[in-house]
Amino acid sequence: KSKEEQASIIWQALFVDRTPISEACRGVLTTLQRLGLQDALRKRDLQMIREYFAALNAHDYCESVFAQSGIEYAIMTNIPFDTMEVQYWRPQ
C-alpha cells in the first residue's frame, strides 16, 4: 500500500472509528484546530487536511508554527558529518 493509503487507514482507525479519542490523538486534533482546520475536523475530512498541507511551502509553515507557538528559534540537532543529513542543513 502507498503511504497515502496507509495514512487513510490510520486516520479512519484513530480519528473516525475509535471513541473516545486517545490523549495522543487529542494532541494531533488540537494542532490541526490551531492551524485553522476546524471545518475539516468537524467533517472528519482527511482530504481537506491533505489539501491544506499540500498548498503550504515549508518556510511559511514553519513561520506560522513558530508564531502560533510563541517561539523565536529552534536549535537543530544533527550529525554534521553524515552526508545524508548535510544536504538538508548546509547552505548552498
Side-chain angles (χ1 to χ4, degrees), residues 35 52 55-68:
L35 290 171
Y52 169 83
L56 297 176
N57 68 53
H59 180 268
D60 291 343
Y61 179 67
C62 287
E63 290 292 323
S64 172
V65 168
F66 275 44
Q68 290 183 49

Side-chain angles (χ1 to χ4, degrees), residues 28-47:
V28 172
L29 297 175
T30 299
T31 301
L32 293 173
Q33 183 179 24
R34 294 233 174 125
L35 290 171
L37 294 165
Q38 296 89 337
D39 192 42
L41 292 174
R42 253 186 256 103
K43 296 176 182 178
R44 297 182 180 189
D45 190 337
L46 180 57
Q47 188 57 39

